[in-house]
Amino acid sequence: MSASSLGRERVPVEHRLLGLDKRSFPYALFVVAVFLVATVVIPRVNDAIDWDDPVRAGEQLALTDTIAFTPVTGWDVERGYRVGAGGSTVQSGEATVVGDGVTFDVVPGTFDGTPAELLDQIAKVTSATGDPTFRVDGEPATITTTGGDVGVIQTYSSVNGDGLVAAFVLDGEGLQVTAYGPPTQMRAAAEDIQDMIASIRASGADGSAG
Amino acid sequence: MSNLVMGTEAESGSEDALRRQADALEESGWGERFDFVQPHNLCFWVYLWLTAVGVFQVWSYFDPKIGFYAEAFAISAVLCGLCGAAWWLWFRHIDRWERQPVGLVVAGLVWGAIPATFAFAMTVNTAMLGIYPKLFGQDWSANWAAGFTAPFTEEAAKLCGFILLMGLAPRLVRTANDGLVIGAFIGLGFAAFEDFLYAANSTASAFGTDPVGNAVQMSFTRIAVSFVSHPLFSALVCSGVVYLLGTAAQPRRIGRGVAFVLIGMFLHFTWDDAGGLGGGSGLGTFGVMCASVALAFTVLTIAFRLAAPREHQFVRDILAPEIEAGSVHPEELEATLDRKSRKAFRKSAPNRRARKARKHLRRAILDLTHDVADAQGADVEPVRHSRTEVARCRASAELAPTA
């Protein structure tokens, strides 16, 4: 019997089940079992665990080594790194906080242009790659942080939901700020969203991160 | 009378050699063909199903972005593809014993690239990387989540391909050496596609303002650190699993099997969590990576040496009739197989040219072994050709003029 007889010849009767070779079952079923654990069981475990990482008073999230913002106390941190003691930053990067049904997300990245150009770039890339229905609405407005940095803000709409998107450029670092949620929640959380945007500041402003 | 006795003895000796050869071919699967299409084999259908799932995921993932980042994707694909091709050539070069059929190797490569990456790893990694920050916080996750995810999820995903190939080619995939070589090819498919994925994802950084620059930079970064990577991890894990399961050609060695599986996963952990292990400093990370490389290549060398005697015995048995017929000399065969004998054999050559010729002789003897195995012991044209090549190389080794 040659090695490839498994496929080329008729399977011996004692090994046959529905025309298949029973000797191949342990290998195949092991793989199916691993696949189901990997793609069904573990994702369900992930879904079953709730976020429980609320922002405590006085905490800030580090967006880069030198830029941070202050999230609303009690909102959940789903992504992002807290600024350490004395304003030290070990880890930094994209931040997402969720509260009152609203998601607030800040993405840092290298950018040389103006905030208005950054907003155009965000709209262009998002509608071309992420969500074809994404488009910014109305006139862009100017927004100023408490540190005095000026950015632009605009509302957006897409089939995935409506929200607002703001852009800042601080020391060659661009920031894309997005907030979205159901319209009622967005209205209720409008002040918190404004506060978080206004809290964005670079450490160069006063010598500490935030 | 005496002539008759001598004739009978010669014949029985030759029968013994032929039996040894036949047993070795039966046991080892050397020279077996690989048929991928096996409708009676459930592994075939599972392979197809999961590859289809992977292809669908690839399409869903890239389809929205491909128009916008086409140029960057194309450059990344070429760079990662060239790096993969270089590794491919090296792996084919070191696959010197039972040379794996191309179809089998390609099946391993495709598994690593498509189903393992997209049907398994992408989904389960996303879930695991969601669980850790919920349980242990963002800072812990930044340092440790990758190393506590990939060694389990990705090694399992790649191993699934090896298990399916064991089911598809039960006689071809049955020694520890098969595990090392096929595991390396599965890992290569995974690594090449993962590198491409990293490069493709990097196109969106800096708000998509320099997709080509970012993709090229990420491709080179990934290529630079790829010398200890998925091929090495899965070579160890797959080889360990062969020892763990035991086959007709590889006696079960549970301790050794567990050790290789765990070391493969541990190396994956040290590589992914070099930042955390290095205490967050650049120098520490570099030190951990250097230590990983040293450990990885030491373990790999040990793994190949432990796997070799089994393959050496198959070569001796397959060539037994050739030894008896005198077309291969016993000392040449030992110099082909054994490291020490090889060194002594080459050292005893009178000059550089003869040393080189003796190196060629070794290759010629391995070619003869593969041709004998492919012909399943029959005296066919390729075997006769290889025999003359062995004789030619021997002649040039012996006749090489002194310098």
Side-chain angles (χ1 to χ4, degrees), chain A residues 183-206:
Chain A
T184 325
Q185 265 73 23
M186 283 293 283
R187 269 196 298 279
E191 202 176 322
D192 287 338
I193 294 167
Q194 288 284 346
D195 287 349
M196 283 194 278
I197 295 175
S199 76
I200 294 171
R201 60 202 295 177
S203 56
D206 63 0

Side-chain angles (χ1 to χ4, degrees), chain B residues 61-118:
Chain B
Y61 188 79
F62 286 109
D63 181 50
K65 303 173 194 170
I66 197 129
F68 197 73
Y69 294 125
E71 194 185 349
F73 284 3
I75 290 172
S76 307
V78 169
L79 289 174
C80 297
L82 284 175
C83 177
W87 281 109
W88 163 282
L89 290 174
W90 171 244
F91 293 158
R92 288 301 276 174
H93 174 72
I94 59 172
D95 182 16
R96 57 171 66 93
W97 307 124
E98 182 199 359
R99 211 166 153 75
Q100 309 297 340
V102 175
L104 184 62
V105 168
V106 170
L109 201 78
V110 169
W111 178 272
I114 307 285
T117 314
F118 278 91

Side-chain angles (χ1 to χ4, degrees), chain B residues 119-309:
Chain B
F120 284 77
M122 191 171 254
T123 310
V124 68
N125 282 355
T126 305
M128 294 281 279
L129 295 174
I131 291 171
Y132 284 127
K134 288 178 187 172
L135 295 180
F136 307 119
Q138 304 285 352
D139 290 315
W140 186 92
S141 296
N143 281 326
W144 304 107
F148 282 96
T149 300
F152 303 106
T153 58
E154 295 178 359
E155 292 313 322
K158 291 180 288 177
L159 179 63
C160 282
F162 185 71
I163 297 290
L164 287 181
L165 292 180
M166 281 183 98
L168 281 167
R171 282 164 42 96
L172 278 167
V173 189
R174 54 164 51 163
T175 64
N177 195 70
D178 296 335
L180 286 168
V181 173
I182 295 170
F185 277 106
I186 294 173
L188 176 62
F190 195 98
F193 219 92
E194 191 189 48
D195 289 350
F196 171 70
L197 199 56
Y198 270 92
N201 285 340
S202 75
T203 54
S205 55
F207 305 102
T209 47
D210 183 18
V212 174
N214 285 321
V216 169
Q217 193 186 352
M218 181 55 81
S219 298
F220 278 113
T221 307
R222 294 291 305 181
I223 288 167
V225 296
S226 70
F227 51 95
V228 173
S229 173
H230 289 283
L232 190 147
F233 309 143
S234 30
L236 291 175
V237 170
C238 293
S239 183
V241 165
V242 174
Y243 284 121
L244 264 176
L245 296 177
T247 69
Q250 189 72 59
R252 182 177 288 177
R253 299 286 299 270
I254 291 179
R256 191 183 286 182
V258 170
F260 279 139
V261 171
L262 291 181
I263 292 172
M265 291 169 68
F266 176 72
L267 286 167
H268 199 157
F269 163 75
T270 59
W271 202 245
D272 278 9
D273 275 354
L277 290 169
S281 78
L283 199 66
T285 304
F286 184 68
V288 170
M289 289 178 119
C290 288
S292 292
V293 172
L295 176 65
F297 282 101
T298 309
V299 174
L300 193 67
T301 307
I302 292 170
F304 268 106
R305 288 207 185 149
L306 289 175

